[in-house]
Amino acid sequence: MAALEMVIRGGEVATAEGVGRYDIGVANGRIVAHGADLPRAPIDIDARDRPGAELKIDAVVAFLEQKQRLIDHLVEVGGDQLGRRQPG
């Protein structure tokens, strides 16, 4: 697993298996892990027993998704200018 940049602990998470309280791990702007007792990260948020924490988590996840879409777009339209090769 990549080094986690952020962990959100004990939030209510909906997965294919159902809804439960899990930790969510984020690396490179993407959710890369969920489960119990993920390792600590530079940004470590405790969402247990915090009213409204789900809304904050949604905002953080939405921001990370938007960031990743922007990065993907920039790589697609100008990958060589970013020091990356364009796909294809």
Side-chain angles (χ1 to χ4, degrees), residues 9 14 16 20 32 34 40-41 47 49 53 55 59 67 70 73 75 79 82:
R9 300 193 180 279
V32 296
H34 73 280
R40 292 198 56 81
D49 302 322
L55 297 176
K67 174 185 160 193
L70 176 60
H73 174 72
V75 168
L82 296 171

Side-chain angles (χ1 to χ4, degrees), residues 16-76:
E17 293 82 35
V19 177
R21 294 229 174 247
Y22 300 102
D23 298 346
I24 298 171
V26 177
N28 298 318
R30 296 179 188 253
I31 296 173
V32 296
H34 73 280
D37 301 321
L38 294 180
R40 292 198 56 81
I43 301 172
D44 213 273
I45 301 169
D46 185 357
R48 293 174 283 224
D49 302 322
R50 292 194 175 183
E54 290 82 8
L55 297 176
K56 293 174 188 169
I57 292 168
D58 288 344
V60 168
V61 171
F63 169 77
L64 292 171
E65 289 172 347
Q66 183 65 25
K67 174 185 160 193
Q68 190 60 49
R69 281 194 295 272
L70 176 60
I71 290 169
D72 292 345
H73 174 72
L74 291 173
V75 168
E76 182 179 316

Side-chain angles (χ1 to χ4, degrees), residues 4-15:
L4 298 176
E5 299 165 351
M6 177 173 60
V7 173
I8 302 169
R9 300 193 180 279
E12 191 171 71
V13 178
T15 68

